[in-house]
Amino acid sequence: MKVKPVYVFQANAYNPVQHEFSDKKKLYDFIHAFDFRSLYSIEGNPIHGLITSGFRDQQFQIGARLAFEIDGYEVKSNTIWGPKYYIGRSALVSDNVIHVEMPVLPGILYGNRWYSEYIKPYTPGDMVFDPVRMRQVYPPCNGRPSELTQFVQKIEKQAYTIEKTR
């Protein structure tokens, strides 16, 4: 039996949201369509209504794991996590602080603005991804593949054969 890893998308939007995808196109389409400004219920559905409980640092992470069935037993491996991204359309690091322009829900706190600046102390490994343009904003790629693309390509090459023995 041939086994290929599945991609795991995880975001924390009030409640953890986690989805699995069998191929990279479905993963990329989901990231592009996912509303990072919304809060999500325990079931993973968007919570509609006017909720402006403060600005959240919007992040997502991509991972991979094996999922298959052997003689009726559903088997899932641990997830190998790849890059973790903040969501934003621009980012700037100065004086050991990262400034990210993140999407927000318009409402009481933010008026009609769709983006607001998120500021945090910079730590090595901080990355920013723009899901609208589907590109890594920070650190700049300068012609090389993004960390997300490199991780997905690495997972895409993995395939395993499991044989039954008696």
Side-chain angles (χ1 to χ4, degrees), residues 22-130:
S22 57
D23 64 60
K24 72 177 183 181
K25 182 175 180 355
K26 290 178 184 173
L27 171 69
Y28 288 154
D29 290 345
F30 182 81
I31 292 171
H32 184 66
F34 188 77
D35 186 3
F36 289 95
R37 297 169 309 178
S38 290
L39 302 177
Y40 285 79
S41 67
I42 294 172
E43 296 83 27
N45 300 319
I47 300 171
H48 297 290
L50 184 62
I51 299 175
T52 55
S53 60
F55 195 77
R56 301 174 327 275
D57 59 335
Q58 301 156 348
Q59 299 180 38
F60 76 94
Q61 190 169 17
I62 300 299
R65 73 168 153 210
L66 297 175
F68 53 93
E69 190 174 304
I70 297 178
D71 291 337
Y73 294 97
E74 193 173 306
V75 181
K76 287 187 177 184
S77 71
N78 291 338
T79 304
I80 298 170
W81 291 108
K84 182 183 272 188
Y85 283 103
Y86 288 97
I87 300 302
R89 66 178 177 183
S90 66
L92 172 70
V93 175
S94 66
D95 299 328
N96 245 1
V97 174
I98 187 166
H99 304 262
V100 180
E101 196 173 353
M102 285 190 173
V104 294
L105 273 175
I108 295 169
L109 295 177
Y110 302 108
N112 291 328
R113 295 180 295 158
W114 287 91
Y115 288 88
S116 185
E117 186 176 39
Y118 174 70
I119 302 169
K120 75 175 254 335
Y122 174 76
T123 56
D126 281 348
M127 293 187 278
V128 180
F129 189 82
D130 182 356

